[in-house]
């Protein structure tokens, strides 16, 4: 991994669930992705698993992880990821957002949830890069793009902005199906084409413009982090590419990089 000397890219990744670590393919894909990135000074994570308004900053020092899942084998609850906190990054986020008139709150005991630490364990296994997680303050795509725009200057300071969700996410519809359901494949194909076409308007209105949009995302929190990423990379959408594609347990694991 090289030292960050240029503007950092902005990422949207499908984060998987705790068993991602046992997958024969996906952890290696995430590791290879991070190996090709400039080394970030810090990482700013926006996870589908933390909704809080107004926008909240998580812990700025190392605190226990949030095991926000139930019914898994015990060893998944023993995972640790003691990345340094990022108090300087938190100060920068406060200045950027409050300077733009947006309220910010601090929740100093809120640790990284699985939408943050599960992919980070694979991408930055040494846990030596400071990490700050912020909340999703809304699910409105336009407002989330505006959050991303306000945070975009951090990319020039060596900060890797990561929106963490899942490109398709409907666990209830998977329970009685095997393989890749049609709604997941159709939405993934549509989303890939919309991203390559830089059709932000279609992505924003995905519930109406996409095939099976409401099946792919009956609730939109796992698609929502994409819009923070799109806002942070708005001037580089022509430099976007899918780094990971395919499916995991029937869900599209498409993950993209801008810049």
């Amino acid at each position: 991994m090289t030292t960050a000397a240029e503007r950092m890219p902005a990422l949207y990744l499908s984060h998987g669930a705790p068993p991602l670590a046992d997958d024969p393919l996906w952890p290696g894909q995430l590791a290879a992705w991070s190996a090709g990135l400039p080394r970030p000074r810090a990482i700013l994570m926006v996870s589908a698993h933390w909704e809080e308004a107004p926008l909240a900053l998580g812990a700025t020092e190392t605190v226990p992880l949030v095991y926000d899942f139930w019914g898994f084998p015990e060893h998944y609850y023993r995972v640790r990821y003691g990345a340094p906190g990022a108090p300087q990054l938190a100060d920068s986020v406060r200045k950027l957002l409050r300077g733009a008139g947006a309220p910010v709150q601090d929740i100093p005991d809120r640790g990284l949830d699985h939408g943050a630490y599960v992919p980070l364990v694979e991408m930055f296994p040494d846990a030596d890069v400071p990490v700050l997680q912020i909340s999703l303050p809304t699910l409105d795509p336009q407002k989330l793009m505006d959050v991303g725009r306000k945070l975009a200057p951090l990319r020039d300071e060596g900060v890797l902005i990561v929106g963490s969700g899942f490109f398709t996410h409907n666990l209830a519809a998977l329970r009685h199906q095997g393989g890749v359901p049609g709604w997941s494949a159709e939405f993934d194909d549509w989303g890939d084409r919309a991203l390559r076409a830089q059709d932000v308007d279609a992505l924003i209105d995905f519930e109406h413009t996409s095939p099976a949009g409401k099946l792919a995302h009956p609730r939109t929190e796992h698609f929502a982090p994409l819009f923070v990423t799109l806002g942070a990379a708005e001037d580089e959408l022509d430099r976007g590419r899918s780094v990971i594609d395919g499916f995991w347990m029937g869900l599209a694991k498409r993950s993209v990089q801008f810049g």
Side-chain angles (χ1 to χ4, degrees):
M1 194 179 298
T2 57
T3 301
E6 303 176 358
R7 192 183 201 198
M8 291 298 298
L11 314 182
Y12 168 83
L13 56 80
S14 295
H15 59 241
L20 177 152
D22 303 324
D23 187 79
L25 177 63
W26 199 358
Q29 292 177 315
L30 289 167
W33 188 5
S34 63
L37 297 172
R39 181 174 174 81
R41 179 179 65 81
I43 299 170
L44 182 64
M45 294 288 302
V46 188
S47 163
H49 293 280
W50 189 18
E51 296 176 53
E52 188 81 38
L55 186 144
L57 308 182
T60 56
E61 59 184 40
T62 305
V63 300
L65 300 176
V66 176
Y67 302 103
D68 53 337
F69 46 86
W70 298 267
F72 285 84
E74 179 60 29
H75 67 275
Y76 294 121
Y77 301 91
R78 299 194 192 112
V79 174
R80 301 291 183 266
Y81 193 76
Q88 292 180 332
L89 176 56
D91 286 342
S92 296
V93 171
R94 291 187 195 98
K95 289 174 183 176
L96 288 169
L97 295 181
R98 287 176 177 163
V104 179
Q105 60 176 321
D106 289 274
I107 304 182
D109 59 350
R110 213 282 181 179
L112 303 176
D113 61 49
H114 84 265
Y117 77 77
V118 164
L120 289 178
V121 165
E122 310 302 337
M123 298 180 79
F124 301 94
D126 294 334
D128 57 353
V129 179
V131 179
L132 176 69
Q133 185 172 346
I134 64 174
S135 71
L136 280 170
T138 177
L139 297 181
D140 184 314
Q142 293 277 18
K143 292 179 180 178
L144 290 174
M145 283 198 66
D146 191 46
V147 170
R149 293 183 189 106
K150 293 169 183 174
L151 296 173
L154 297 172
R155 295 177 56 202
D156 294 313
E157 300 175 11
V159 176
L160 182 65
I161 296 176
V162 182
S164 176
F166 225 133
F167 208 70
T168 61
H169 192 265
N170 185 342
L171 301 181
L174 291 174
R175 287 176 185 161
H176 306 294
Q177 299 186 45
V180 178
W183 54 262
S184 188
E186 290 169 8
F187 185 91
D188 178 63
D189 176 69
W190 170 86
D192 178 38
R193 288 184 283 108
L195 286 166
R196 286 190 281 112
Q198 303 165 52
D199 193 345
V200 175
D201 289 338
L203 290 163
I204 286 173
D205 196 28
F206 71 93
E207 291 181 286
H208 302 101
T209 58
S210 66
K214 293 184 179 180
L215 264 177
H217 292 284
R219 194 170 184 277
T220 64
E221 79 285 348
H222 275 76
F223 205 55
L226 172 64
F227 297 103
V228 178
T229 301
L230 289 174
E234 193 169 41
D235 60 345
E236 290 187 300
L237 297 184
D238 60 337
R239 297 184 60 204
R241 62 187 180 92
S242 289
V243 181
I244 297 173
D245 58 14
F247 298 86
W248 186 69
M249 298 181 65
L251 300 177
K253 61 180 186 179
R254 187 168 301 279
S255 300
V256 296
Q257 174 177 329
F258 299 93

